[in-house]
Amino acid sequence: MAEQYDVIVIGAGHNGLTAALELASAGWSVLVLEAEVSAGGCAVTIEPLLPGFRHNPHANALMFTELMPEQIAPAARGVQLHHPAAQLGVAFADGRAPVILHRPDLLERTAASLGVYSPADAAKYVALKRASAPMGPLIRDGLYAAPNSEWFARQAEAVRRSFAKLCDVRVLGQRTARALIDDLFATPEVRLLLYHLATETGLGLEDEGGDLAFLSYSLWIAGRWRTVHGGIASYVGALAAAARDAGVQIRTSTRIARVVAEGERAVGVVTAAGETIVASAGVLAAAPIVDVERMLETGVMSRKECDEFAAFRKGRPGSIAGSMFCLKRAPIYKSARHDPEIDACLKTIVGHERPEDAVAQSADVRIGLLPKPAGVVRMHGHWDATLAPEGCQVVGVDSAFPAAEHLDGETWRAVEASFPEAFVDVWRGYCEDDFEILAMRCDATSRFERRMMVRMGADQYRASVSGLYLGGPGVYPGGGVHGACGHNAAQTMLADFNAGRGEGVSS
């Protein structure tokens, strides 16, 4: 007889593990199936280049730790975090003073950094940052619930109330993040930094409505990035341990060939090895949406959902290339002559000197052109000695690229082969010394999703196939290590069962 569980969760990333933990805590029998050799999804820590140099190639920091439910909060799972003082900064090749955003409790340092260029801009940023403080509970409510018009109305009203004296809220939601930043700040260096704050928090500079998102979301997040001691995999490992303690079975190296549907209901899966596993209550797919579509047989989904999936595939605005470097020692930036904190900044922008550079990169990416070498440099070894041999440094660089579909495989392979060296040529121009690189690599073709297929209400997490739920990074609230996609999908599944829409739970 085939194995049987109440629920099969596809994918052992943080969303899949969060969903499995919540379903098991409700008394359901849960099996998690993961295609890779270990749990983690995009939140993994690996040694791809040299022994002892441990990289976080994709997810690399937590920014919602203050908002996470107790069950998945890092502190509750004994995970050690680091909260660097200098969080997001811009270094300059000509050696002028850097601009840096610091932790929320170090606003005076941020004011001093921005004030080098404009005391007025520094004062404006500090006032905006303080006004964003009440947004935390609102963001939490929005993350850990299905999207709904009532919450979006509350968001807009909260922004109008908090920022009424600081900016023109009469046109709220009608402008781009770039237009808002340009309206509020006069200094090019400050505008460049805040452009990158917008993009680092998932906003498109030219997207309509970006003004509302910047005020209600980006400003609150600024300075709240935390790294995980031992790499991001330490957090996912703690989640996996908690799930196992709750009775969840986790099976790795198990690829799904298809989701089994009888009539219009998902009843299990068939693995690539030909094994059939039954799910009496249903299947929760915490995998990327494009993978879920692949697992479903033709004709199973509704025509409307087929169209939604097709639009989602075509709607990818861009991708992120992750480069990895092993250094003999950390570089010293020319801008550190004015402020040494740029040398130990969690995220340092290299390759953009003016706001126009960031705008040009955004425009190139949108139309499928390869931008000039630039990126956000991450050196987590400043706070975590476990990531590299003594005295050495492990570096990750995130760079904006066109969506993978814009270029063919041969072109992407050429990009991967040439980009690290091209970036290093630019990077060295920002540094005082000729730092030694021991190894380097670029992954420019990652398929992880940086966009959402948004539906309003709990239908966001229900597929058109009854008993199949969507809890991966492509559903609301999207990317970031917060577990909210899995949490919301699991809560939808539980609510459906309690309302009599589910069936077959054994316990």
Side-chain angles (χ1 to χ4, degrees):
M1 294 181 64
E3 282 188 87
Q4 180 168 323
Y5 295 83
D6 292 329
V7 182
I8 296 171
V9 175
I10 301 173
H14 64 95
N15 282 308
L17 293 170
T18 296
L21 178 58
E22 296 195 10
L23 293 169
S25 297
W28 292 19
S29 61
V30 183
L31 172 67
V32 177
L33 299 177
E34 168 58 48
E36 302 299 327
V37 297
S38 61
C42 288
V44 293
T45 305
I46 58 176
E47 289 187 23
L49 296 176
L50 296 175
F53 288 86
R54 306 178 65 231
H55 297 261
N56 301 308
H58 305 305
N60 54 76
L62 302 177
M63 55 188 178
F64 299 107
T65 54
E66 299 159 65
L67 309 181
M68 286 179 168
E70 177 75 15
Q71 192 172 36
I72 62 172
R77 297 297 164 199
V79 178
Q80 181 182 349
L81 302 179
H82 302 282
H83 196 184
Q87 290 264 305
L88 178 68
V90 179
F92 295 102
D94 61 8
R96 66 194 134 130
V99 280
I100 304 172
L101 300 181
H102 295 74
R103 293 188 327 228
D105 62 321
L106 298 172
L107 265 180
E108 72 282 357
R109 295 192 195 180
T110 298
S113 179
L114 307 189
V116 169
Y117 292 98
S118 169
D121 279 358
K124 176 61 68 71
Y125 177 81
V126 168
L128 288 166
K129 179 61 177 172
R130 287 176 174 156
S132 75
M135 297 298 147
L138 182 68
I139 293 171
R140 181 185 60 239
D141 292 346
L143 284 175
Y144 298 101
N148 63 86
S149 56
E150 186 274 336
W151 181 84
F152 287 109
R154 285 173 53 207
Q155 177 197 38
E157 179 55 33
V159 171
R160 291 189 183 94
R161 186 170 55 251
S162 294
F163 296 94
K165 295 181 180 180
L166 298 171
C167 60
D168 185 359
V169 296
R170 294 172 298 176
V171 292
L172 190 65
Q174 302 175 30
R175 294 189 297 172
T176 66
R178 176 189 173 193
L180 174 72
I181 293 166
D182 289 350
D183 184 49
L184 292 174
F185 298 95
T187 313
E189 289 82 359
V190 175
R191 294 206 310 270
L192 174 59
L193 176 62
L194 297 181
Y195 284 4
H196 278 282
L197 172 61
T199 57
E200 280 296 292
T201 50
L203 306 188
L205 280 179
E206 307 293 355
D207 292 345
E208 185 177 330
D211 57 343
L212 174 60
F214 185 84
L215 293 171
S216 65
Y217 182 70
S218 300
L219 279 171
W220 184 86
I221 287 174
R224 298 182 190 273
W225 287 288
R226 291 167 170 84
T227 65
V228 180
H229 189 79
I232 196 73
S234 296
Y235 172 64
V236 178
L239 270 185
R244 290 190 179 98
D245 288 344
V248 175
Q249 301 295 310
I250 301 174
R251 190 181 303 174
T252 58
S253 301
T254 306
R255 190 169 297 276
I256 304 301
R258 62 187 175 91
V259 173
V260 179
E262 291 183 357
E264 297 180 349
R265 181 172 181 80
V267 295
V269 301
V270 174
T271 70
E275 178 186 10
T276 298
I277 308 174
V278 175
S280 57
V283 176
L284 193 154
I289 283 178
V290 293
D291 289 341
V292 177
E293 187 178 21
R294 173 187 58 79
M295 297 171 191
L296 292 169
E297 294 182 334
T298 302
V300 172
M301 290 190 298
S302 70
R303 174 56 63 89
K304 178 183 178 183
E305 189 163 58
C306 286
D307 291 344
E308 287 176 333
F309 277 37
F312 180 81
R313 286 196 310 274
K314 296 176 182 178
R316 191 176 185 182
S319 61
I320 298 295
S323 300
M324 297 171 280
F325 299 88
C326 303
L327 272 58
K328 187 68 176 177
R329 58 180 175 80
I332 299 172
Y333 289 107
K334 294 175 183 177
S335 291
R337 304 168 191 167
H338 303 277
D339 187 348
E341 288 199 90
I342 194 65
D343 284 341
C345 193
L346 178 60
K347 298 168 180 271
T348 302
I349 290 91
V350 166
H352 290 164
E353 297 288 300
R354 308 167 305 154
E356 293 80 4
D357 297 333
V359 173
Q361 174 184 272
S362 177
D364 287 346
V365 163
R366 280 179 175 270
I367 62 175
L369 298 178
L370 292 171
K372 295 179 180 179
V376 181
V377 178
R378 301 179 277 102
M379 288 188 279
H380 292 189
H382 282 303
W383 312 279
D384 187 352
T386 70
L387 300 180
E390 185 176 358
C392 297
Q393 184 62 264
V394 60
V395 179
V397 178
D398 297 326
S399 303
F401 273 80
E405 295 77 14
H406 280 293
L407 305 173
D408 59 35
E410 183 177 349
T411 303
W412 278 121
R413 286 188 288 273
V415 169
E416 289 181 330
S418 61
F419 183 76
E421 189 171 343
F423 178 79
V424 167
D425 287 344
V426 172
W427 194 11
R428 290 191 193 281
Y430 284 73
C431 300
E432 293 279 14
D433 55 345
D434 190 17
F435 52 86
E436 182 180 354
I437 297 177
L438 304 176
M440 57 185 178
R441 188 176 104 180
C442 175
D443 176 8
T445 56
S446 295
R447 292 298 192 271
F448 62 93
E449 293 164 353
R450 291 178 63 88
R451 66 210 191 280
M452 290 183 285
M453 186 179 74
V454 179
R455 305 165 177 165
M456 296 301 284
D459 280 345
Q460 169 73 96
Y461 309 103
R462 300 184 187 109
S464 61
V465 182
S466 177
L468 177 61
Y469 294 80
L470 306 176
V475 297
Y476 180 88
V481 183
H482 42 56
C485 306
H487 165 88
N488 295 343
Q491 292 302 312
T492 301
M493 199 173 197
L494 289 167
D496 285 354
F497 177 79
N498 292 331
R501 295 177 62 174
E503 57 185 73
V505 173
S506 59
S507 51

